[in-house]
Amino acid sequence: MGGLPAFDNDPDFSWNIGAGLFRPDDRLRLRVDAAIGALLADGTIAQIYARYGIELRPPR
């Protein structure tokens, strides 16, 4: 398993995790942030990345 070597030295390219919301809704945003945080904490996101041969690394 590894990263995408072609983009290793490109500071503008990263695999951050995000979600778009149609309208500003602070309660929904907090719940989505919490859900993403839980998926990162329990390793689910890393497993999804690994399935496609991509290494999950923290943002720089």
Side-chain angles (χ1 to χ4, degrees), residues 7-52:
F7 299 106
D8 274 348
N9 296 321
D10 187 343
D12 295 326
F13 188 82
S14 66
W15 288 94
N16 294 334
I17 298 168
L21 304 174
F22 182 66
R23 293 189 176 128
D25 183 336
D26 289 337
R27 289 188 319 178
L28 178 59
R29 180 183 50 79
L30 290 172
R31 293 186 76 164
V32 169
D33 286 348
I36 292 171
L39 293 170
L40 283 165
D42 74 5
T44 300
I45 302 263
Q47 289 175 351
I48 293 169
Y49 274 45
R51 185 179 318 148
Y52 296 98

